[in-house]
Amino acid sequence: MPARSARCARLSGWIHRRLGPAVLLCYLLALLVPGPGTRLRRTALGLFGLRLDAPSVALFVILFAAAFQVPPGRALAAVRQPRTVLAGLAGHLLTAFVLAPATALVLYGAGLRGPAGGLSTAVALIAAAPVAAAATVWIGRDGEVTALLAVVLLSALLSPLTMPTTLGLLGHVLPSAAPTRASAEGAAGQARALLTGAVALPCALGLLARRTVPAAVTGRLLAAAPLVAITALLALTYVNATAAVPVLHREPWTAVALCAAVGWGVCRLAFLAGSLTARALRLPPGAGATVTLACGMSNVSVSTVVVVQALPGQPHALLVALVYGLAQKVSARRAVVKGARAASYPTVGERSAVR
C-alpha cells in the first residue's frame, strides 16, 4: 500500500508540474472530439430536487478533495490570521466592480457600441462569480490552501449579492444593460443552488471527513486526493470547452477574435490587479499567490450557466467566458510559479540577519 501511495504522489506531482500543457490539450481535444463532452454536459440527474450534471459533480470532487487535504489543526488558521482571507476577498470583489465598467468604456471608445452591452455584461457576470474551486488545485498542497478555501467559500456565499450589484454598477455606464440585469437577477436562484451544492457543501464535507475518518484510512486517501482533484479539473475543462465548438463554427472570425481579446485581456488585468494588491500589502509569496488567484480565478462553470440564462441568444458572451477560462488557467500557472521563485530568494530582513 505505501508503494501505491508513493506512485500516486509521484504521478500527481508530475501532472501538476505540467498542468498548463494538459489544460491546452483538453481544449484541443474538445475542438477535435466534442461529442462525448457535449453529451456529458447535457446529461443530468435529479436528486432531492437538485439537478446534478457533469460540471457540478466535477466541482464537488475538486473542492471535497482540496478540503480533505487541510489538517484539522489548520482549519481555523484562516480565522486566526484573517489578513490573507480579507485581502483575497476584498481584491476579488473590487476587481469585479472595476473590470466590467472598464470593458464598456474601452468598447465604447473604440466605436464598438453594438457588442459593448453584451460583452461588458458578460465580463460583469464572469468577474462577479465566486473564486474558482480549481484555484485550490493550482496553488498546490504547499500553498495557502486553507486561506484560499476560505476565500472560495465566502465568495460563493456572497455571489448572489455581488452579481446583481456588479450589474447595477454597470448599468450606470450602459443604460441598455437594465434588461440584462433583470434577467441575471432572475437566474440568481439557480446560481445560488449551484453554489451551495457544488462549492459550500463539498468544502464542509471535506473538512468533516478529515476529522472523522480513521488515521489509517486518511493516509491512503491523502495520497490519492491531489490526483483525483487534478483529474476532475481536466475533465471539467474538457466538458466546458465543448460548449464553444458550435460558436466557433457559426460566428465570423472577427467576432471570435473580439471575444477572445476581451476575455484574455480582462483576465490578464484581473491577475495584474491581484499581483499589485499583494505587493501593496507586502504579503509573503504564499499569501501573495492566494490573493492573486482570488482576484483572477473566477468560477467559469458558474458564470457560464448564468451567462447562458441571463444573455440568451448571445453566443459572444459565452465565448468570452470560455476564453477567460483558458486565460485564467495559463495565468494561474504563471502566478504560482512566480510565487515559488520569489519564495526561494531571501527577503531583505533575512539577508540582514544572515549578515
Side-chain angles (χ1 to χ4, degrees), residues 95 99-100 103 123 127 261-271 324:
T95 300
L99 290 181
T103 302
V123 170
V262 170
W264 196 277
V266 167
C267 180
R268 293 300 300 158
L269 285 177
F271 274 88
Y324 190 101

Side-chain angles (χ1 to χ4, degrees), residues 52-89:
L52 299 179
D53 53 10
S56 300
V57 173
L59 281 174
F60 190 101
V61 171
I62 291 171
L63 262 180
F64 180 88
F68 187 79
Q69 296 177 68
V70 179
R74 292 182 57 193
L76 298 178
V79 178
R80 301 192 194 101
Q81 299 178 350
R83 185 184 182 190
T84 302
V85 177
L86 293 178
L89 185 61

Side-chain angles (χ1 to χ4, degrees), residues 14-31:
W14 185 86
I15 298 177
H16 191 274
R17 290 190 297 270
R18 297 164 177 81
L19 204 51
V23 167
L24 294 178
L25 182 61
C26 289
Y27 274 88
L28 180 61
L29 184 63
L31 181 63

Side-chain angles (χ1 to χ4, degrees), residues 1-7 220:
M1 194 64 67
R4 181 180 302 178
S5 300
R7 287 196 296 269
R220 293 194 293 268

